[in-house]
Amino acid sequence: MMPDMKQYLAGRTLILVSNREPYEHTAAPDGEQGTAGESSVQVRRPPGGLVSALDPTMRCTHGTWVAWGSGSADRETADAEGRLAVPPENPAYTLRRVWLDDADVDGYYLGFANSALWPLCHMLLQHYDMRAEYWERYKAVNERFAAAAADEARRAPNAPVVWVQDYHFALVSAMVRERLAGERRPAFLHQFWHIPFPPPDILRLLPTAAYSGVMRGLLGNDLVEFHTDRYALNFLDCVDEFVPESRVDRDRRRVVLGDREIHAGVFPISIDAEQYESLARAPEAAERARELRHRHVPPGGCLGVSVDRVDYTKGIPERLRALDQLWTDAPELRRKLTFIVVATPSRSELRSYKTLEEEVVASVAAINAKFGDAEWTPIVLLKENVSADGLAAIYRAGDVCLVSSLQDGMNLVAKEFIACNVDGNGVLVLSRFTGAAAEIDDAILINPFHVDGVVEGLRHAVTMPVEERRARMQRMQSQLHRSTIFDWLEAILARVNELASGPAELRPPTDRPVGSDRAMRVGAADASAA
Ligand code: ADQ
């Protein structure tokens, strides 16, 4: 359940910076234009756990969310500064849109973020592609977001807490800090890094200016948050190596740089477990799950499921290779084990992603031709974006969920499967190179680079006695319900509150609301609620 976030902010104003926006306005396609006077603009809420957890936080804390205005009707629905009140039906906070042109998207988003940082952080070097232009655009776009965030910090009625999301904005916090230098109310700056953080030998494959810029940019934060301790330690190793004037204290997960302290924290992200569970328990999901099994699984058979964006980090070809080998080595599992593979295209503008999509389609067709027959299709490939209740039904139908990421910051699919396994006897086969593997004790861990090991893991899963499956799933579910997305949020904001309040002698001159009386009263009420 959503905790009361206001108490953790203790009267501070939250300014969130992310690439994706929580509300996107799009012009309706031509055929759907309303008649004169009717709005032809639609509001879309991008799916995803992060937006669903952060939007209620923003609603109750009334801050500002700075994000890329990517919708076709975003400009016409915002003011000259890109600001608008959201949610549209019941405004509670400000969305500040930052505009990007095609060259920005190519250089900053598809370029430096997704062709350089993404493959390096996942240590998949064969996909690394770096150009000077990417870095230049990345700096320029980060500067634009920093300018917007700093402007919002100045406008904030209370002392600002700026929370930057992810690898798209490695430079933003240092830029905001510089822009706000000398302000009466210092901002507290922190950043969540959603993907793995690589060791120094990998990060140094960037040009010197870029790896040094990334590390110095991140040190603009007061706190940098990771999913696992391994990523936090890699970060500290990179600081040690690339920022020689800093002092790294690994035991306390801390860096001293000049007169500042920068903390590295471990906060494994999670999902709204109750919501997924209730979606899976709904009668429609039960019906859809029955239907899926009836259509695809021979009587007495077993259903495996997997769900991913098509991304080379997710190990989809490796998974298909393992299934091919499994049905080759274990003919008794033909016509017994069916797999539903949900693989939705993403970042298709990049050639490596497009090639991967084609490879997945071709491999599935080859496997189906090799083992399938008129009555049985071994792999059912779903390429569409599936709604949350549709996904819940697929997870519910599955006896086995296979997550074969080559590297993955956390992997939320593993947690969604656990939440939706309402019959309580599913088995999770999980890559040991996911953040989730550091947290979930009762999955069958596999190395996706090692086909024989994946085959072995799958055989173990499909032959596991029901009592063992139930016992493992029950433990995984209790663990998940003790650590949801709200616990994640609460833990981070509690840590921010602790660090931002700091020792009394170091507290900012005014931690109290400035400006209007109304802001003063809100701050006072919030503090007393804590
Ligand atoms: P992603 O790489 O996107 O996230 P993941 O954590 O698995 O990976 O989250 C994907 C989300 O998209 C899940 O909620 C899943 O249900 C959904 N999804 C996938 N395919 C879908 C489809 N066809 N239709 C609808 N929904 C679909 C990044 C990092 C991860 C980290 C998260 C959160 O790469 O390691 O866990 O951020 O920090």
Side-chain angles (χ1 to χ4, degrees), residues 207-223:
T208 311
Y211 68 66
S212 163
V214 163
M215 295 316 297
R216 284 163 204 279
L218 289 173
L219 290 176
N221 288 290
D222 297 293
L223 168 67

Side-chain angles (χ1 to χ4, degrees), residues 116-133:
L117 274 183
W118 177 268
L120 286 188
C121 288
H122 290 89
M123 299 193 282
L124 296 169
L125 309 184
Q126 67 276 33
H127 297 280
Y128 171 53
D129 169 28
M130 178 63 196
R131 318 259 166 90
E133 165 67 7

Side-chain angles (χ1 to χ4, degrees), residues 81-93:
E81 290 168 305
R83 304 174 95 228
L84 71 157
V86 290
E89 69 288 356
N90 186 16
Y93 68 93

Side-chain angles (χ1 to χ4, degrees), residues 44 131 159 223 285 311 419 432 474 495 511:
R44 212 177 68 86
R131 318 259 166 90
L223 168 67
D311 192 300
R432 56 176 75 251
Q474 198 184 25
R495 179 75 172 132
D511 223 357

